[in-house]
Amino acid sequence: MKDVARAYRHSVSALLERDNGATDIPLASGEQLSVIDVAELIQRVCQEEQGYEPEIEYVEDPRASQPTGPDFTVDTSAAYDQLGFETEYTVEGAVRRALRNAT
């Protein structure tokens, strides 16, 4: 969320300075994490921060019939090229902050 708010500020500034009209600019952390990667990251960080390792429950993918693949890559080069925006926060950092704020 913090990066999204920063990106919004960058985009408003760019719009006011250049007034090129509206355009879509993909935003992402730049990290290539699958759902299981995020679950395992949360599990590990919980253990490190709280001394508790939550169990990961594997369930059938409800999107299995859809044409999706394991690649969650988002090209964020336009955010840098057009706005000078780069992410500062990681998924792991967000999980750690959430756990620290929850206690």
Side-chain angles (χ1 to χ4, degrees):
M1 288 302 276
K2 290 182 178 187
D3 274 332
V4 172
R6 288 181 47 255
Y8 182 73
R9 285 195 313 262
H10 279 263
S11 65
V12 168
S13 295
L15 183 61
L16 292 173
E17 291 171 11
R18 296 187 285 272
D19 195 22
N20 294 337
T23 185
D24 290 335
I25 298 176
L27 295 175
S29 69
E31 298 173 271
Q32 297 180 33
L33 300 171
S34 68
V35 173
I36 191 63
D37 291 337
V38 173
E40 290 171 349
L41 182 147
I42 292 169
Q43 185 181 52
R44 178 178 55 79
V45 172
C46 280
Q47 176 61 39
E48 293 170 4
E49 293 287 331
Q50 305 288 328
Y52 166 72
E53 187 173 293
E55 182 180 339
I56 297 173
E57 181 180 345
Y58 296 90
V59 297
E60 184 177 335
D61 185 350
R63 301 169 295 168
S65 64
Q66 297 177 7
T68 60
D71 187 4
F72 293 96
T73 304
V74 176
D75 180 6
T76 60
S77 60
Y80 181 78
D81 295 343
Q82 296 179 34
L83 305 174
F85 175 78
E86 295 180 280
T87 58
E88 292 181 0
Y89 302 95
T90 64
V91 173
E92 180 172 333
V95 171
R96 286 188 189 282
R97 280 188 303 281
L99 286 170
R100 289 174 185 165
N101 291 335
T103 58

